[in-house]
């Protein structure tokens, strides 16, 4: 009697996952830099941004009469472990997010620690599972500028697939100019952190 291939594949996947307990949500914990002490709010904020690969980018919708529109997007703030703290995005006007930003640049970008696999078994809304919202302006970076080159290198280093995205979609580099930071990394409410402190952390 033949063996059903579905059950074979299911068993192999189950066995692999049970043998490697460090694999959480598709990322290996060994690839994540150590989480800072929650008391060091600047380090925690920069850690969340540098270690994450994607988040929810919110813009003011021009098609929904000004309603907030959230979109899952990939991003990078620099080369691996050399982030600058400023999120860069690779967007096309075929998507509402870029169209919205070109009409009204106000935006916010939200990240959670949960996708990194370092929150354990607690719920993503638990204050011990860090989260950050960066609010500011989503701006198109001039195509031929050094900053655009930096943004592309940063993005392609984390998202190599982007290099092959369709040329006729006219993807361009955008960045979030940060005006405000909302960070929850433990109990007791949001932690005070200025943009200056965030962008120029003390080493």
């Amino acid at each position: 009697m033949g063996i059903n291939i579905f059950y074979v594949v299911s068993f192999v996947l189950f066995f692999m996952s049970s043998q490697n307990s460090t694999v959480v949500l598709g990322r290996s914990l060994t690839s994540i830099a150590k989480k800072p002490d929650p008391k060091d709010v600047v380090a925690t904020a920069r850690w969340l941004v540098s270690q994450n690969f994607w988040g929810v980018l919110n813009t003011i919708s021009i098609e929904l009469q000004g309603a907030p529109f959230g979109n899952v997007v990939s991003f990078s703030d620099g080369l691996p472990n050399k982030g600058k703290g400023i999120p860069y995005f690779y967007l096309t006007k075929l998507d509402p997010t870029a169209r919205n930003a070109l009409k009204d640049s106000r935006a916010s970008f939200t990240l959670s620690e949960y996708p990194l696999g370092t929150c354990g078994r607690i719920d993503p809304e638990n204050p011990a599972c860090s989260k950050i919202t960066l609010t500011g302006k989503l701006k198109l970076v001039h195509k031929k500028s050094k900053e655009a080159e930096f943004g592309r290198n940063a993005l392609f280093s984390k998202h190599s697939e982007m290099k092959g995205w369709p040329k006729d979609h006219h993807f361009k580099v955008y960045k979030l100019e940060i005006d405000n930071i909302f960070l929850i990394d433990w109990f007791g409410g949001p932690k005070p952190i200025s943009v200056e402190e965030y962008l120029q952390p003390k080493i």
Side-chain angles (χ1 to χ4, degrees), residues 8 10 39 56 61 97 107 120 123-124 184 194:
V8 173
S10 297
K39 295 179 182 178
V56 178
S61 175
T97 297
D123 190 88
I184 298 286
S194 70

Side-chain angles (χ1 to χ4, degrees), residues 42 46 195-202:
V42 174
R46 291 292 295 265
V195 176
E196 291 73 22
E197 290 172 323
Y198 172 80
L199 293 178
Q200 298 178 352
K202 296 179 181 178

Side-chain angles (χ1 to χ4, degrees), residues 15-63:
F15 179 79
M16 290 175 64
S17 64
S18 65
Q19 294 299 308
N20 188 358
S21 60
T22 63
V23 176
V24 181
L25 301 176
R27 298 270 321 267
S28 171
L29 295 186
T30 58
S31 66
I32 303 299
K34 183 180 179 182
K35 181 180 178 179
D37 187 319
K39 295 179 182 178
D40 190 342
V41 294
V42 174
T44 300
R46 291 292 295 265
W47 176 80
L48 275 171
V49 174
S50 69
Q51 297 301 305
N52 264 294
F53 278 61
W54 62 273
V56 178
L57 183 57
N58 305 277
T59 52
I60 307 299
S61 175
I62 59 176
E63 298 167 357

Side-chain angles (χ1 to χ4, degrees), residues 41-42 44-46 48-50 52 55-59 75-77 84-89 105-112 131-138 175-184 193-195 198-199:
V41 294
V42 174
T44 300
R46 291 292 295 265
L48 275 171
V49 174
S50 69
N52 264 294
V56 178
L57 183 57
N58 305 277
T59 52
F75 83 102
S76 177
D77 75 327
K84 302 293 185 181
I86 299 173
Y88 287 86
F89 311 92
S105 64
R106 289 178 295 170
S108 65
F109 187 49
T110 300
L111 302 169
S112 169
K131 64 274 300 174
I132 189 170
T133 296
L134 305 173
T135 303
K137 298 177 179 63
L138 183 60
K175 72 173 181 178
L176 184 67
E177 295 181 352
I178 305 169
D179 294 328
N180 183 268
I181 300 169
F182 178 88
L183 173 71
I184 298 286
I193 173 174
S194 70
V195 176
Y198 172 80
L199 293 178

